[in-house]
Amino acid sequence: MFDYNKGFLYRYNDQVSKLTVCARVRKPGYELTDGCREFTRKGEAGNEEKLPENVRRAKSKVFELALCNEFTYFCTLTFSQEKVKDRYDLEGCMKSFAKWLNNYNYRKAAASVQYLLIPEPHQDGAWHLHGLVSGIPEADLRQFQLDEHLPTHIRKELAKGHQVFQWTAYDKKFGYCTLSPIRSTDAVSKYITKYVTKELGSSVKELNAHLYYRSQGLKQKELIYSAPDVVLPDPDYTGTYSKIKNA
């Protein structure tokens, strides 16, 4: 039923690989029951209710997708009450966004927008998004300037000499947005996972929505090698159930 001290060597991109050794790994063909402690043959579980570790899994997947793909900008996208039917309806907003973006990529020869987005509710319950994007044509980007009337956090970035852009096509369709060029893929991959929280998990579960949204066709980590009974000396991380060595 289990393999012990099983090692997995993954490649995330040309610069980053990771060796993970798990103390105990469920063999293929077995799955958790509702009690989360016992195991049954696959297909024998009572139902497919979401497990408590969904948030942890989502954080791991968001980190993986961010690290494996060459995103260009960190973005914040909002939904204006004047431009969307219901900015409190997360799934409705995301369906509208996906449909619009599909048409946008089709209409514009230079556009090939890919995204990894995490929803976050405002205090009043309306939704906005944080995430990573790439493939936006330069012609649809407008750089903010210090002589404009801008929020304090944007003015601070501009004062540091950092660029901050507006995606004009998105702004026209949905509402206010900002995009900042990514300076470190590793850093932004770690940073973006902070938006995947238990509170978000509770919120989207009630809505039957997603913890994150992603383009189709994004690159994923590549399994290079796996084997049981692996000894990992000098790990970079040691947890209750696993050890990790970065390379």
Side-chain angles (χ1 to χ4, degrees):
M1 190 176 295
F2 296 103
D3 284 324
Y4 295 92
N5 295 319
K6 188 167 184 178
F8 300 88
L9 179 60
Y10 290 101
R11 178 187 293 128
Y12 287 77
N13 56 45
D14 291 341
Q15 286 77 42
V16 179
S17 297
K18 181 185 294 186
L19 175 60
T20 300
V21 177
C22 300
R24 188 176 71 168
V25 177
R26 186 168 74 250
K27 290 183 177 180
Y30 292 86
E31 62 183 6
L32 288 169
T33 65
D34 292 339
C36 300
R37 294 296 178 186
E38 299 177 1
F39 289 81
T40 63
R41 289 293 300 173
K42 188 174 182 179
E44 296 177 357
N47 57 55
E48 294 183 3
E49 291 182 359
K50 292 182 178 179
L51 300 174
E53 63 266 26
N54 264 13
V55 170
R56 178 186 61 80
R57 290 178 176 175
K59 289 174 78 77
S60 177
K61 194 63 179 181
V62 165
F63 176 77
E64 172 190 338
L65 294 171
L67 198 58
C68 290
N69 293 273
E70 297 180 1
F71 290 107
T72 311
Y73 300 100
F74 175 85
C75 68
T76 298
L77 310 176
T78 69
F79 297 100
S80 169
Q81 60 184 356
E82 287 81 25
K83 298 180 180 180
V84 298
K85 183 178 181 180
D86 183 2
R87 64 192 187 127
Y88 300 90
D89 176 9
L90 176 58
E91 285 294 89
C93 287
M94 293 309 302
K95 287 179 181 178
S96 295
F97 171 74
K99 182 178 180 180
W100 171 82
L101 186 60
N102 184 61
N103 292 333
Y104 177 84
N105 282 335
Y106 179 78
R107 292 194 316 267
K108 290 182 174 285
S112 182
V113 179
Q114 291 188 310
Y115 62 87
L116 174 62
L117 301 170
I118 302 169
E120 183 179 44
H122 291 288
Q123 289 185 347
D124 67 352
W127 291 93
H128 63 285
L129 307 164
H130 299 287
L132 310 176
V133 295
S134 62
I136 301 173
E138 290 187 9
D140 279 357
L141 296 175
R142 185 186 73 83
Q143 187 172 343
F144 289 110
Q145 304 295 331
L146 270 173
D147 58 2
E148 299 178 50
H149 181 68
L150 298 169
T152 301
H153 70 279
I154 295 181
R155 297 189 65 83
K156 287 182 178 179
E157 289 299 306
L158 296 178
K160 295 176 183 177
H162 297 159
Q163 295 176 315
V164 183
F165 295 93
Q166 175 191 53
W167 183 5
T168 55
Y170 179 93
D171 184 275
K172 181 178 180 181
K173 178 65 178 180
F174 294 106
Y176 185 76
C177 62
T178 62
L179 295 87
S180 300
I182 294 172
R183 297 187 291 273
S184 168
T185 297
D186 183 64
V188 79
S189 298
K190 295 174 182 177
Y191 176 79
I192 194 177
T193 62
K194 80 168 192 173
Y195 294 105
V196 184
T197 64
K198 292 181 180 178
E199 291 74 21
L200 174 63
S202 298
S203 298
V204 300
K205 185 176 181 180
E206 294 174 1
L207 299 172
N208 194 30
H210 300 286
L211 284 164
Y212 64 92
Y213 296 82
R214 48 167 290 186
S215 298
Q216 294 182 357
L218 292 182
K219 297 176 183 177
Q220 302 184 63
K221 65 186 180 182
E222 178 185 0
L223 179 62
I224 306 300
Y225 176 80
S226 68
D229 303 319
V230 174
V231 177
L232 182 60
D234 192 26
D236 295 317
Y237 166 82
T238 300
T240 304
Y241 305 107
S242 64
K243 298 179 181 180
I244 297 174
K245 183 71 175 180
N246 297 307

